[in-house]
Amino acid sequence: MNTVRTQPDPGNAIMRFLKKRIAVYALLIAISIAVFFLFPYDLGFLTRIIIMMIFVLSLDLILGFAGVATLGHAALYGTGAYMAGLFAVHISASPIVGLGVGALSGAVIAFISALILMRAHGLTLLMLTIAIAEVLKEIANKAQTLTGGADGLSGIVMAPIFGQIEFDFVGQTGYWYSFALLMIVLFFLHIITDSPFGLGLRGIKQSTARMRAIGAPVYWRLVAAYTVSGAIAGIAGALSAQITELVSLNVYDFSLSAEIVIMLILGGAGRLYGALLGTAVFLIVHHTAASVDPFNWLFIIGGLVLGVIFFLPGGLLSFPKKLGWVTTWFSKQPEETPR
Amino acid sequence: MSAGLEVKNLHKSFGGITVANNINIQLKPGARTALIGPNGAGKTTFANLLTGILQPDSGQILLDGIDIRALGQAGRVKAGIAKTFQITTLFPEMSVRENLRLPILEREGYGAKWFGKSQVNYAADDEIETLLDDFQLTKYADVTVGQLAYGQQRLVEMALTLALKPNILILDEPAAGVPTSDSHLITDAIERLSPDLSVLIIEHDMKLVFRVANSIVVLVNGAILMEGTPEEISRDQRVRDVYLGERHE
C-alpha cells in the first residue's frame, strides 16, 4: 500500500472551501439585505426567525447528522437564555460576553446530560430528553428569587455591542447582530460537518455497529457533538434573551422542542440549509396563518408537515431533485404507453 | 511470548445456555483458519468474543502474548483485530470512497478532528485508490453503497475492513447471500490477501472453505469437535455425521 501523505497545500484548501460556499453565503447576505428594506416594520419577527434558525441549526448537528432523536433541545436553549439574562442583570451587560456565557452554559448542560442521554436509544432517549427539559423548567420556576419564576426574568438592559452600536427601538441592530451570528454559526458548522468528525457523525447515523467495528469511540463522539450542539443552542437562547430583554419559562417548553424538530424535518435534516429553509417556512406560515385564523392555524401547519412527509421525505430542500424526477417521469410516459 | 492470536479456555454462557465451552484456538501470522459448524454452534458468538462485542465469562484472549480482554471493541480494533459482519454492515448512504475513507481516518487518529478536511482527505486518497484497485471497485468509487449489488457490497466491506490494516482478520460468512455468479469475487479477494495476515473465516460454503483454508476448526454446541487440515476434517466420520454429511468428498 502507498505511504500516507499528510502535507497538502493549505492555501488550496481554503480556496476550495470558499469556492464551494461563497455563492450560498452571498445569496443569504443578499436575502437579508432585501428583507431588511422590504419589511422595515417586521424586523422583530425577522430577527426571531434568524434566532430560531441558529437554534434549529444546533438541532441539525445532533439529529440531522448524528441521528440522535431529541424532544428536549429547549433544555439547552433555555439554559443559555437564563444564564445570559442573569449575567446581563447581575454581572455585565456586554452582549458579546453574554453570548459566551450562553454558549458555555448550553455546552455545560449538554455535556452533563449527554453523559446519560448518549447511553440510551429510541423511546428511552426521547423520554429522557423531555424529562431533562422539564426538570430544568421546574428548577427555573422554583428559583423565583433568581429567575422571576412564572413572571419571567426581567430587567435585562444590554450595553452597546463592542461599546459602540446601541440596540435601537426599531430592531435594526438586533437584526444585523443576529444575522452576523447566524453566518458565523453556519460557517462554523460547515467546517465541522465537512471535517472527519462530521463524516464520522454521518457514519454513526448510518451504522453505529460499523462505526464501532472500525474503532470509533461512538459514545464520546456523540457526547462531543451534543456538547457543540448545546453551545450553539445556548447562543440562540442568549441572543433571544438579549434581543427581547426578557426570559420566561416558555424557553423550556416541550412545544418549542417539538416545533424545532418539525422545522428541521420540513426543511430537510442533515444538510444545514434545510434548517434555514424549514425555520423560515414554518415561522412565516405560522405568522400568516395565525393572523388570518388565530384558532385554527395549527391545521395549516399540520397539513404542510403531512404534505412534506408524504411527498418530500427529504424535506423542502429536496423539492428541486423531486421536480427533476417528476419531469423525467412525465417525459418518459409517451414511450411507456402501450400502442 | 507467541505471535498472533491465542485463545485459551474461553467460556461464555447466557443463563443456562453455554455458547462457548472451553475453546482453545491459535492463529499464527499468515494462518488461514476456517471455523465451521452447524447453525447455532456458536461461531458468530466466538467472533463477537474475539472482537469485544461480547465479554467472556472466563478464559484468555492473547494477542501477541498480551491478554486483551480488558479492551473494548474500539481498543481491539486499534490492537489489530478487525471483522466483517455476517450481514453486510456498511454506511449505505455514503459512496464507496467515503466508506473506505472513514476507517483510514480512524486508523490514523484523524476521526475526531474538527478542522482540516483537506489535509486528511489528501492523506487518505492514495490508499483509497489502492484499495479500490485491489478489490476491482474503481468504477464504483463514487456510487452510493446502498445501490450496489450484494456481492459488490461484500467486497466493499472486505476493503473497508482491510483499510484498518489489521493483523487478525475475521470474515463472518463472507460468501453468505452472494449470488453464485459473484462468489468468485469473494474467493479471489480472500486469496489475494497479504500472506502475513492471519485470517479466521466463518463459512458454510465448503467449496470456499476447502479452497482457501489450510486449517479447519469444527465447532458444535459451543465446543470444538475437531481441529485439523482440510483433508483430516473431510475424512473424519464425526464431522461427516454432524455437519458435512456422507456425500462430501
Side-chain angles (χ1 to χ4, degrees):
Chain A
M1 298 216 173
N2 294 359
T3 311
V4 169
R5 299 179 294 167
T6 55
Q7 293 302 320
D9 178 1
N12 280 345
I14 295 165
M15 284 312 291
R16 273 199 301 274
F17 183 86
L18 285 176
K19 250 187 201 172
K20 195 173 157 190
R21 309 285 183 203
I22 200 84
V24 180
Y25 290 166
L27 179 70
L28 288 173
I29 291 168
I31 292 171
S32 71
I33 293 170
V35 295
F36 178 79
F37 287 110
L38 286 171
F39 306 102
Y41 303 112
D42 290 318
L43 290 181
F45 172 61
L46 293 170
T47 305
R48 175 163 166 70
I49 292 179
I50 294 172
I51 293 171
M52 291 311 287
M53 281 176 173
I54 297 174
F55 188 23
V56 179
L57 280 172
S58 78
L59 179 72
D60 201 13
L61 181 68
I62 196 71
L63 175 60
F65 284 87
V68 176
T70 167
L71 279 174
H73 222 51
L76 317 174
Y77 174 87
T79 303
Y82 267 109
M83 293 309 288
L86 288 168
F87 184 80
V89 171
H90 298 291
I91 299 170
S92 163
S94 162
I96 303 299
V97 182
L99 281 180
V101 170
L104 186 67
S105 53
V108 167
I109 209 78
F111 176 75
I112 294 167
S113 52
L115 294 176
I116 304 162
L117 294 175
M118 296 308 136
R119 293 185 186 281
H121 306 278
L123 276 178
T124 314
L125 173 63
L126 278 180
M127 292 304 112
L128 282 173
T129 56
I130 295 169
I132 286 170
E134 290 302 314
V135 165
L136 289 171
K137 185 178 183 179
E138 202 47 40
I139 290 171
N141 186 28
K142 292 288 179 196
Q144 198 169 3
T145 49
L146 192 65
T147 63
D151 296 332
L153 176 68
S154 54
I156 302 169
V157 180
M158 299 314 298
I161 300 165
F162 299 120
Q164 302 290 324
I165 312 162
E166 295 267 4
F167 282 93
D168 58 310
F169 183 71
V170 185
Q172 293 184 346
T173 305
Y175 176 80
W176 288 117
Y177 175 52
S178 306
F179 181 73
L181 274 167
L182 173 67
M183 294 303 285
I184 292 168
V185 166
L186 186 63
F187 180 73
F188 176 69
L189 283 175
H190 268 141
I191 289 176
I192 282 196
T193 52
D194 275 0
S195 72
F197 178 74
L199 186 64
L201 290 184
R202 285 169 53 208
I204 291 170
K205 183 183 179 185
Q206 292 179 34
S207 177
T208 308
R210 175 43 74 192
M211 278 304 282
R212 288 205 176 96
I214 62 171
V218 169
Y219 171 74
W220 288 109
R221 291 280 165 80
L222 289 176
V223 169
Y226 200 71
T227 305
V228 175
S229 174
I232 297 169
I235 288 175
L239 203 50
S240 167
Q242 292 178 355
I243 301 289
T244 60
E245 299 189 333
L246 178 80
V247 184
S248 73
L249 287 175
N250 294 344
V251 292
Y252 284 124
D253 269 359
F254 169 76
S255 60
L256 179 62
S257 298
E259 276 180 1
I260 61 162
V261 174
I262 293 171
M263 290 178 204
L264 186 59
I265 291 168
L266 208 56
R271 296 154 80 178
L272 297 183
Y273 301 130
L276 306 184
L277 184 63
T279 308
V281 169
F282 181 96
L283 288 175
I284 291 167
V285 169
H286 178 176
H287 186 71
T288 314
S291 61
V292 173
D293 187 345
F295 302 105
N296 298 306
W297 61 270
L298 264 171
F299 184 79
I300 305 292
I301 294 284
L304 185 65
V305 173
L306 278 175
V308 165
I309 288 173
F310 276 114
F311 300 110
L312 294 168
L316 292 170
L317 212 59
S318 66
F319 182 64
K321 196 177 167 188
K322 194 85 173 176
L323 198 65
W325 179 82
V326 170
T327 315
T328 314
W329 189 78
F330 273 112
S331 65
K332 277 183 181 171
Q333 285 313 290
E335 292 167 26
E336 288 171 7
T337 310
R339 293 178 185 181
Chain B
M1 186 179 80
S2 60
L5 184 75
E6 191 175 2
V7 175
K8 288 183 175 173
N9 305 319
L10 203 70
H11 188 92
K12 174 76 181 175
S13 57
F14 295 112
I17 301 166
T18 301
V19 288
N21 190 2
N22 201 31
I23 295 177
N24 292 281
I25 284 182
Q26 190 167 14
L27 284 181
K28 290 188 174 162
R32 296 287 185 274
T33 302
L35 187 63
I36 65 170
N39 287 331
K43 302 185 294 294
T44 297
T45 303
F46 177 66
N48 288 342
L49 288 167
L50 295 184
T51 53
I53 295 172
L54 293 172
Q55 285 296 330
D57 298 333
S58 61
Q60 287 183 307
I61 302 169
L62 305 170
L63 185 63
D64 297 332
I66 300 163
D67 197 340
I68 57 164
R69 276 177 306 161
L71 294 178
Q73 208 181 339
R76 292 192 201 189
V77 173
K78 299 229 183 301
I81 301 178
K83 171 182 183 279
T84 65
F85 288 81
Q86 193 173 357
I87 297 166
T88 306
T89 306
L90 292 162
F91 306 111
E93 292 165 30
M94 291 186 195
S95 67
V96 174
R97 201 184 291 280
E98 284 177 315
N99 267 267
L100 300 183
R101 175 161 287 133
L102 262 172
I104 295 172
L105 295 176
E106 290 299 335
R107 188 197 74 209
E108 294 292 322
Y110 290 135
K113 268 187 176 280
W114 288 8
F115 304 102
K117 175 199 177 190
S118 177
Q119 179 178 339
V120 291
N121 280 349
Y122 182 92
D125 279 348
D126 288 350
E127 205 174 326
I128 291 169
E129 292 308 322
T130 310
L131 281 166
L132 288 169
D133 195 39
D134 286 351
F135 285 86
Q136 296 165 26
L137 290 165
T138 308
K139 63 179 170 181
Y140 305 114
D142 297 310
V143 177
T144 306
V145 158
Q147 294 175 339
L148 290 177
Y150 195 71
Q152 306 291 354
Q153 289 189 16
R154 291 308 265 178
L155 286 180
V156 174
E157 189 167 19
M158 280 181 69
L160 183 155
T161 312
L162 283 176
L164 295 165
K165 290 193 176 169
N167 299 319
I168 313 289
L169 175 65
I170 301 168
L171 301 172
D172 195 353
E173 300 197 24
V178 179
T180 319
S181 56
D182 288 347
S183 64
H184 70 279
L185 295 172
I186 307 294
T187 318
D188 293 347
I190 296 171
E191 285 183 333
R192 283 199 306 270
L193 292 173
S194 160
D196 301 330
L197 184 66
S198 307
V199 184
L200 179 69
I201 307 161
I202 299 168
E203 188 54 69
H204 284 294
D205 181 345
M206 286 304 111
K207 230 166 108 181
L208 189 150
V209 166
F210 281 91
R211 183 165 156 191
V212 301
N214 48 30
S215 159
I216 297 177
V217 177
V218 184
L219 203 64
V220 178
N221 294 330
I224 293 177
L225 177 72
M226 191 192 171
E227 188 174 356
T229 63
E231 293 75 28
E232 289 167 342
I233 295 293
S234 63
R235 282 199 303 267
D236 190 89
Q237 190 57 42
R238 291 173 302 165
V239 180
R240 283 170 174 265
D241 289 344
V242 299
Y243 188 60
L244 294 177
E246 287 304 324
R247 289 170 67 186
H248 186 82
E249 291 177 9

